[in-house]
Amino acid sequence: MHEILTLQLGQRANYLATHFWNLQESYFTYNGEEESPVDHDVHFRPGVGADGGETYTPRTLIYDLKGAFGTLRKNNALYELAEDSTPGQGLWDGKEILQRLEPIPQGDYQKSLDQGTAAPQLSSETVRFWSDYNRVFYHPRSIVQLNDFELNSNIMPFEEWGLGEELFNDLDKEHDLLDRDVRPFAEECDQLRALQIFTGSDDAWGGFAARYVDRLVDEYGKKAVLVWAIEDGKRVHQIKREVNKARSLFAISPQATMYTPILDPPARLPGSVFLNSHSKWYTSALISMAMESVTLPTRLRPYQPFESLLAGDDSIRRIFELQASLTSPKETNDTPKPARASKVQSSEPGSSKVKTKFDLDFTYDSPDSDESHLFNQLQVLRGDEPEEDDTSPEGDLGMVRKMRLYNSETMFHRLHTPLHYPILDSFPNDLLTVPTPGQKINVVAALTSSTRTAQKVKGLEAVAGRIIGVDERENLVNGLGEIRESYEAGWMSDSDFDD
């Protein structure tokens, strides 16, 4: 077993993760149906409910501020008996005055799920919280509300990077968050494979995530850490947010196996997408199409060495760009076949297999340049079979990789699975303007490491050099400079130079 434990940190992270869990739930098969190519044990954990029945819930920890969970309760229908509905009087024997907040009314979509009736169509007006379109039950231990701050507070906004760092240190000092929250889930795993983290990176959640990653790497140093760092795409030029991005990049990316900045929403959209940029439900749904597709190899039944494919040959470059293209599937009645193993593909200059142009770029707001050099690319094609010939390179695979490195060619890996991306009823029904026969769509998603990262880091380096205080500036600017150098074409590490 190769389990993955997920951490969700903050409002934007939970919007994206909710789409992710809804998709995982949709892959389950029942009543003698053909076995799904997705191994559910990677992300879900078996358990026992309050009535003694077996349960199957996501292996995740959900952190958010007071007032951010909407109608989601810590104890749900699977664990009702675990909730103490009549707490004791305690030591106080005087008169009590109870003050209760007005409960948030449950939406029609959640009511239909509880009653097992046809779900009504969701809209940006009816989705008030990420829990309004959630389709899965969570274990009570997964819900962690941080009461020190309130959602959308004008008095104490959760914006400063240092506030998140301070909050984590205070909570960790009081409770030891790894012992209280992470360890119970980790110890249930047969062979913990990776830790997947959804987090905001340009607000206080970046500081919270940085300190959390510090602890996780100390405790689980040999496990992969996959970080999806979500940035506000509508306010990318605010100086405070640029500084927060620089701090997150400097603190998290050197420790993570993969650090992927994500603009929410992306700056450029193709004609096939209609996006309500003011709705996190819309923007996170679009991101989920790329994010969930490109990580599909981590949970397919034929085991895929996802982390080693990202590492390339030197494991130095850990910052990746998330990109995707969407196409309508061919109408067919063929039964889906299991995914076949990925193969290292040819990447000679001019090869059509390495893609530099995608319809959607979720990482950078500037168009891709033909002059940028690609170091490594992992492509996942889901849906219809690719048209071009899919042959493996001739000769020993290890020698082919060495020759690519010697010739400074792109390391390239591609996997194809006939499993289409499903369009669920929790998805915005008007997001895609292209036909989706059978409520499915083809997705080509990629994680790419290129010299574009050097340009981005250089900009953050300049902002940090002007704004950051003297006591922190030198360490931060020098650290960003070292990161930038590793993404410049022609760069060689000291060990490579000595060799």
Side-chain angles (χ1 to χ4, degrees):
M1 196 61 61
H2 303 279
E3 297 92 347
I4 296 176
L5 173 59
T6 301
L7 283 77
Q8 306 167 207
L9 310 179
Q11 187 76 174
R12 289 200 300 264
N14 288 326
Y15 267 89
L16 176 57
T18 301
H19 282 295
F20 175 81
W21 292 119
N22 288 346
L23 286 160
Q24 305 319 304
E25 188 264 348
S26 72
Y27 297 138
F28 280 84
T29 53
Y30 307 95
N31 300 328
E33 297 175 352
E34 185 176 349
E35 185 181 54
S36 171
V38 175
D39 185 353
H40 311 299
D41 291 329
V42 171
H43 282 290
F44 283 76
R45 52 171 296 280
V48 178
D51 60 353
E54 294 183 356
T55 64
Y56 211 46
T57 53
R59 188 178 289 108
T60 188
L61 286 163
I62 306 173
Y63 292 85
D64 218 328
L65 306 180
K66 182 180 179 181
F69 288 87
T71 59
L72 184 68
R73 295 183 299 158
K74 191 176 183 70
N75 296 282
N76 51 52
L78 299 180
Y79 297 93
E80 283 286 356
L81 299 180
E83 185 173 14
D84 188 2
S85 58
T86 57
Q89 181 83 6
L91 298 177
W92 175 254
D93 57 359
K95 185 180 179 180
E96 292 183 345
I97 300 176
L98 294 179
Q99 294 187 6
R100 297 181 182 274
L101 292 174
E102 193 70 26
I104 300 172
Q106 193 176 40
D108 292 338
Y109 185 81
Q110 291 298 320
K111 289 179 182 177
S112 69
L113 292 179
D114 293 341
Q115 297 167 3
T117 58
Q121 185 172 299
L122 289 167
S123 68
S124 56
E125 289 76 24
T126 57
V127 176
R128 305 153 299 171
F129 304 91
W130 53 265
S131 58
D132 287 338
Y133 60 94
N134 171 61
R135 296 180 55 90
V136 301
F137 288 120
Y138 298 101
H139 191 278
R141 284 202 312 263
S142 292
I143 310 300
V144 186
Q145 180 172 283
L146 306 180
N147 294 315
D148 300 68
F149 293 86
E150 191 169 355
L151 181 67
N152 298 327
S153 171
N154 294 322
I155 301 173
M156 294 179 60
F158 201 56
E159 296 287 342
E160 294 285 348
W161 199 87
L163 284 178
E165 191 176 30
E166 182 181 342
L167 177 60
F168 178 86
N169 291 336
D170 291 343
L171 292 172
D172 195 46
K173 183 177 180 180
E174 183 178 355
H175 301 291
D176 193 329
L177 292 183
L178 261 66
D179 276 344
R180 187 192 72 174
D181 298 342
V182 177
R183 205 176 305 282
F185 284 100
E187 290 180 348
E188 293 174 342
C189 302
D190 294 333
Q191 185 179 347
L192 181 64
R193 171 181 184 173
L195 297 145
Q196 176 177 243
I197 301 175
F198 297 93
T199 182
S201 64
D202 60 349
D203 55 13
W205 286 110
F208 192 91
R211 297 290 73 80
Y212 218 137
V213 170
D214 281 344
R215 290 293 315 277
L216 292 171
V217 171
D218 287 344
E219 185 72 20
Y220 305 100
K222 295 184 179 180
K223 308 302 180 184
V225 179
L226 311 176
V227 179
W228 304 97
I230 307 170
E231 306 169 359
D232 191 338
K234 298 191 293 293
R235 296 184 289 179
V236 293
H237 299 299
Q238 279 195 3
I239 296 298
K240 181 190 296 184
R241 290 186 174 269
E242 293 295 302
V243 171
N244 289 343
K245 289 183 203 174
R247 286 178 167 140
S248 296
L249 187 80
F250 168 69
I252 301 176
S253 66
Q255 302 188 80
T257 308
M258 178 203 76
Y259 182 89
T260 305
I262 297 177
L263 285 176
D264 179 18
R268 294 172 290 111
L269 296 173
S272 58
V273 172
F274 167 78
L275 191 67
N276 180 352
S277 60
H278 299 289
S279 170
K280 294 187 181 71
W281 173 54
Y282 268 83
T283 59
S284 58
L286 183 63
I287 296 168
S288 74
M289 302 183 77
M291 175 265 149
E292 198 273 338
S293 295
V294 83
T295 58
L296 194 59
T298 63
R299 47 191 173 275
L300 290 176
R301 294 190 185 277
Y303 174 80
Q304 306 295 334
F306 182 80
E307 296 79 16
S308 64
L309 299 183
L310 291 177
D313 285 318
D314 51 21
S315 300
I316 296 295
R317 302 176 185 91
R318 305 178 180 189
I319 303 174
F320 287 85
E321 309 157 29
L322 178 63
Q323 300 154 316
S325 294
L326 314 174
T327 58
S328 296
K330 302 173 184 175
E331 297 194 36
T332 176
N333 295 323
D334 295 342
T335 302
K337 302 175 183 178
R340 52 191 174 83
S342 61
K343 299 177 182 179
V344 179
Q345 302 294 345
S346 173
S347 63
E348 296 83 3
S351 171
S352 62
K353 296 184 174 67
V354 177
K355 286 177 67 70
T356 58
K357 302 293 183 182
F358 290 85
D359 295 339
L360 291 160
D361 188 337
F362 294 96
T363 298
Y364 301 130
D365 52 3
S366 59
D368 192 10
S369 171
D370 293 333
E371 298 178 357
S372 61
H373 174 73
L374 275 60
F375 301 108
N376 188 12
Q377 185 175 91
L378 169 62
Q379 263 185 46
V380 177
L381 290 72
R382 60 185 304 178
D384 297 332
E385 191 81 20
E387 295 180 359
E388 63 266 22
D389 184 26
D390 199 19
T391 56
S392 297
E394 298 180 359
D396 178 65
L397 184 60
M399 182 57 66
V400 170
R401 291 169 67 96
K402 289 181 179 179
M403 290 302 297
R404 287 227 184 99
L405 181 63
Y406 179 79
N407 295 326
S408 299
E409 296 175 358
T410 301
M411 295 304 302
F412 177 73
H413 311 270
R414 182 169 66 176
L415 178 135
H416 170 257
T417 172
L419 184 67
H420 292 82
Y421 184 94
I423 308 298
L424 308 180
D425 57 15
S426 60
F427 204 78
N429 69 315
D430 59 347
L431 178 64
L432 301 176
T433 60
V434 294
T436 55
Q439 292 300 99
K440 299 176 181 178
I441 195 165
N442 294 334
V443 179
V444 179
L447 287 170
T448 306
S449 173
S450 77
T451 53
R452 297 175 70 200
T453 298
Q455 302 168 16
K456 181 70 172 179
V457 176
K458 186 176 181 179
L460 296 176
E461 194 179 344
V463 172
R466 295 196 314 267
I467 306 299
I468 297 293
V470 177
D471 53 343
E472 184 188 357
R473 181 190 307 158
E474 183 177 359
N475 188 34
L476 179 57
V477 172
N478 289 343
L480 290 173
E482 292 177 5
I483 294 173
R484 169 180 51 79
E485 289 174 358
S486 63
Y487 291 89
E488 292 175 341
W491 174 86
M492 294 179 65
S493 68
D494 291 339
S495 60
D496 292 336
F497 183 78
D498 291 342
D499 292 341

